[in-house]
Amino acid sequence: MRPLTDAELAGRTDLQHRDDIERLVVEFYRYAAMDELLGPVFAAAHVDWPEHIATLTDFWSWQLLGERGYQGNPLRAHEPSHERTPFTDAHFERWLDLFTSTIDEQFVGPTAEMAKVRARKMAFAMRRLLTGRHGDHDEPTEPIWPTTRAGSG
């Protein structure tokens, strides 16, 4: 990614609304799908992009804005892709680098910073689940998961 100009940096805002989250998700996956390392993983998975974007927008809207709507377990959802194209440390690091740089390119503020922290935790949790390894980091791996309450749909 190219360095940002002062004008571009000045126009950044925080992640405040679902539209902001969707913009982040679309931009990130545009980079990831075309990435030399990550692109082949998405190609092998035959990703349905509209569905994937909608699901990830739901996920990150829940993680960052507290909006209900995401259903599922992102760690378990990636097991089939990992079986087809085993994820390496390089995959996790590249995913995190791209996600962080996409946030930094477009957003600034406390929610943007929280997004980077949650992404780091997600990458470490995914690595632990899929590879059985914790990596060289002492980061806690505690992503927030949906809870189901009796009587709530």
Side-chain angles (χ1 to χ4, degrees):
M1 290 185 224
R2 68 176 174 73
L4 300 177
T5 66
D6 288 340
E8 289 169 324
L9 290 172
R12 295 182 302 163
T13 61
D14 202 3
L15 291 155
Q16 300 174 49
H17 308 284
R18 183 177 181 82
D19 289 346
D20 299 329
I21 302 293
E22 184 174 15
R23 190 172 92 218
L24 166 64
V25 169
V26 167
E27 286 301 309
F28 167 72
Y29 282 102
R30 181 174 294 140
Y31 291 127
M34 297 171 57
D35 185 73
E36 193 172 284
L37 180 62
L38 299 178
V41 174
F42 289 105
H46 304 289
V47 173
D48 176 338
W49 286 109
E51 181 180 326
H52 195 64
I53 296 298
T55 298
L56 272 291
T57 299
D58 286 346
F59 175 78
W60 285 107
S61 292
W62 167 55
Q63 288 286 303
L64 302 174
L65 305 176
E67 291 181 7
R68 304 295 257 163
Y70 176 75
Q71 299 295 318
N73 182 325
L75 300 179
R76 294 287 179 207
H78 288 83
E79 287 176 319
S81 292
H82 177 64
E83 288 173 15
R84 267 190 302 279
T85 310
F87 301 163
T88 66
D89 287 348
H91 288 104
F92 294 110
E93 290 167 17
R94 183 64 179 149
W95 181 90
L96 188 56
D97 287 345
L98 274 179
F99 194 83
T100 299
S101 63
T102 303
I103 292 169
D104 288 341
E105 180 180 277
Q106 298 197 19
F107 301 98
V108 64
T111 306
E113 291 305 311
M114 181 172 52
K116 293 187 286 188
V117 169
R118 296 255 170 101
R120 187 179 316 101
K121 289 179 180 184
M122 180 60 65
F124 293 144
M126 184 129 10
R127 179 189 311 178
R128 185 179 67 199
L129 175 76
L130 296 176
T131 69
R133 295 181 42 244
H134 293 271
D136 298 331
H137 306 282
D138 291 330
E139 292 282 335
T141 52
E142 303 167 4
I144 297 174
W145 302 115
T147 56
T148 313
R149 293 180 287 184
S152 67

